[in-house]
Amino acid sequence: MKEIRSERFRQKLLRLIDGRADLMHFAHHLNYLVHAEPVADWLLVRGIRGQNLSEWLSQKHGGSFIKAVQAIVQDVNKANGVKPIIFGRDYGKTPAIQ
């Protein structure tokens, strides 16, 4: 995995996977998103982590990282009313290291 943007974000990723090796792929892909922090915050605020995250991914989104993030982005954009996060365009760009 490329360098994680900050220790704070690293801690969020660790809380999200909650010790589950099967969620490492999720953390890996999330780290590549420019707007990963709002996605991680959305999940953590709703208590979707560890076993809950694994079940949420498989039951609601068929195990698809992309579908899950698109659903979160839609909710974040709708709630914030600010410039939308564009998922496809932002994936893989180097985030600002703080």
Side-chain angles (χ1 to χ4, degrees):
M1 186 183 303
K2 70 180 183 177
E3 184 178 342
I4 297 175
R5 62 194 82 201
S6 69
E7 180 60 27
R8 183 185 69 211
F9 185 65
R10 180 181 173 277
Q11 291 302 319
K12 287 180 184 183
L13 289 177
L14 291 173
R15 284 196 327 249
L16 279 175
I17 63 172
D18 198 26
R20 295 183 52 102
D22 63 321
L23 292 174
M24 284 300 294
H25 73 282
F26 183 84
H28 173 79
H29 289 295
L30 187 57
N31 187 50
Y32 280 87
L33 292 179
V34 170
H35 301 288
E37 294 234 21
V39 172
D41 291 340
W42 188 95
L43 289 164
L44 290 170
V45 164
R46 286 158 180 78
I48 302 174
R49 62 187 191 94
Q51 179 66 31
N52 292 340
L53 177 56
S54 184
E55 290 172 1
W56 182 77
L57 283 169
S58 64
Q59 293 173 1
K60 294 236 180 206
H61 303 289
S64 171
F65 171 78
I66 293 173
K67 288 180 182 178
V69 171
Q70 285 175 335
I72 294 168
V73 166
Q74 283 179 330
D75 190 59
V76 168
N77 288 344
K78 184 176 161 183
N80 288 346
V82 296
K83 181 181 175 194
I85 298 170
I86 307 298
F87 174 66
R89 182 184 72 197
D90 294 333
Y91 185 79
K93 289 184 180 177
T94 304
I97 306 293
Q98 298 174 348

